Amino acid sequence: MNKVDLLVKNGKVYTPAGFQDLDVAVSGEKIAFLAMPGTIENGKTTIDASGKYVLPGLIDVHTHVRDPGFTHKEDYETASRGAAASGVTMICGQPNLDPVPNTVENYRKQIEIAESKSLVDFSPPASPLLYEEGWVPKLAAEGAPWFKIFQRVAAYPYSTAAGTANTVHILEAFKEIAKTGKYCSVHPFDHFFHEDGKEKVLKLGKEYAPLLYREEEFGAAYELYYLAKRAGVKWYALHCNNPDYIDLVRWAKSEHKIDVIASWEVHWMNIFLRSKVYDVKRGDWWEPPYRALAPGLIETLLAAINDGTIDMLGTDHAPHLREELDVEDPLKAHGGGGMPVLEWWGHLWLNEVNKGSITLEKLVEVISVNAAKIFGFYPRKGAILPGSDADLIICDLEREWTITSEKVYSKTQFNPHHGVKIKGKVTHTILRGAVIMEEGDVTGKPGYGKFVPVY
Ligand SMILES: [Zn+2]
């Protein structure tokens, strides 16, 4: 028999039937077959994964790539380098860009940029806000996996106005998207809570900004649920990060009146909570305004993952420069202080497995498999099966190490996890048969990443 191109041998491999001792044979960009350990000869390249786990490549459903439009914060090359560093083989860039991907021309512009710069595969959601001009079916036909909207508030520094919508337009956009059969996600906001919050922050100081209104988020979420039901659209409940919102989603799933899925964007500020970030550029520690945790929130969130209420994890990798965050005017301070997290995300979650927060099986579901199934990437992505893309990560659950700032890929040059000791490391990232990261060295090339459309 001819040698296979790549053999990953002796690992514990994730399969739909659980972890099994298997060798994974790769031919070109695809998984050729799985075999009992030691039953086939070495490939042209062989990686010995003895004592390690082999998982499908991670999928980040919530990456703020900032490209095009805000490339001083991040771009497809820097974001995808960080992705490769932590085992993420596909990113879904969020649409608060300039131009907003709300027409075929604008959507293609982003795809072309990503094709020239990205080290990992990508599939960005589109914006449906020119629904009245007939763009929704055309964007669906381009292969956009889902649609995303920001609910409009008076001033929201994360977004360009073109990506936001009032309630009436959200309902109309939902009706158009319903015809495509795709999901729509909406960042839940409320104009009046937002306005009132602005006043309070001016009095109390900007560090209070993110603490103000839990009511805002879940009030908006209830409204979105109702609108989705009216329109018959498949609702993607994103930022499902507080107990009331989780209860709503749990109830909506049990009600079976609409198709609803949910994601938790695990920010550096919550499960990986730290109050300070290391600024690599300036070589100092800096305390940005941050979001305090309600007592018991992490336990509530983990329970919602474990009972299937929350289907997916996203990074909410949200890079902003220090100059953009460290200003007194709360309207210009980019909310609670978005941070880079992508380049540590996979490793940090392995540490959570070691801490007992989540089983490895469940982690693989919510960080890869479920997103692939929900949006239609499966079994090309999110699976280690013959014929699937050979997107594999090799994980050493026993490795104890300290996160340093020798290599920080984000343009922000912040490291919220500098000096943190963790157990568990993604040692290899393999994308379509090519090793793009090994032991922290990102060797992938810009332009290797491909668009993964969903039709
Ligand atoms: Zn976000």
Side-chain angles (χ1 to χ4, degrees), residues 330-352:
L331 291 181
K332 292 182 180 150
H334 295 272
M339 281 291 144
V341 67
L342 191 50
E343 56 201 89
W344 306 282
W345 192 56
H347 309 297
L348 289 163
W349 269 110
L350 295 180
N351 186 50
E352 292 301 318

Side-chain angles (χ1 to χ4, degrees), residues 214-379:
R214 187 164 126 182
E215 293 86 349
E216 173 180 355
E217 191 176 64
F218 85 87
Y222 268 84
E223 181 178 65
L224 293 170
Y225 168 70
Y226 169 74
L227 297 177
K229 196 151 68 170
R230 288 285 294 174
V233 75
K234 292 157 88 172
W235 182 40
Y236 169 6
L238 91 164
H239 293 312
C240 192
N241 295 355
N242 83 48
D244 306 288
Y245 191 177
I246 290 168
D247 283 347
L248 167 67
V249 168
R250 189 177 281 125
W251 173 77
K253 285 189 170 193
S254 69
E255 198 198 28
H256 295 298
K257 293 239 170 101
I258 62 167
D259 188 332
V260 51
I261 53 156
S263 65
W264 171 25
E265 285 67 42
V266 182
H267 216 271
W268 73 286
M269 292 179 283
N270 33 79
I271 196 166
F272 314 127
L273 183 68
R274 304 201 86 205
S275 59
K276 288 183 178 173
V277 299
Y278 186 70
D279 183 333
V280 182
K281 234 177 336 197
R282 302 193 198 182
D284 66 356
W285 290 90
W286 176 60
E287 191 163 1
Y290 73 99
R291 198 174 303 189
L293 278 179
L297 179 61
I298 294 300
E299 292 71 19
T300 304
L301 287 161
L302 291 170
I305 287 176
N306 284 315
D307 74 12
T309 303
I310 291 173
D311 302 279
M312 300 175 289
L313 301 174
T315 60
D316 205 2
H317 176 77
H320 296 287
L321 300 186
R322 181 158 164 180
E323 305 82 83
E324 296 171 319
L325 295 167
D326 201 11
V327 292
E328 287 308 310
D329 182 345
L331 291 181
K332 292 182 180 150
H334 295 272
M339 281 291 144
V341 67
L342 191 50
E343 56 201 89
W344 306 282
W345 192 56
H347 309 297
L348 289 163
W349 269 110
L350 295 180
N351 186 50
E352 292 301 318
V353 170
N354 275 318
K355 280 163 63 183
S357 303
I358 187 170
T359 64
L360 188 58
E361 288 84 349
K362 191 69 186 175
L363 178 62
V364 176
E365 285 172 27
V366 294
I367 207 167
S368 179
V369 178
N370 290 356
K373 288 182 176 172
I374 284 166
F375 297 121
F377 308 125
Y378 194 87

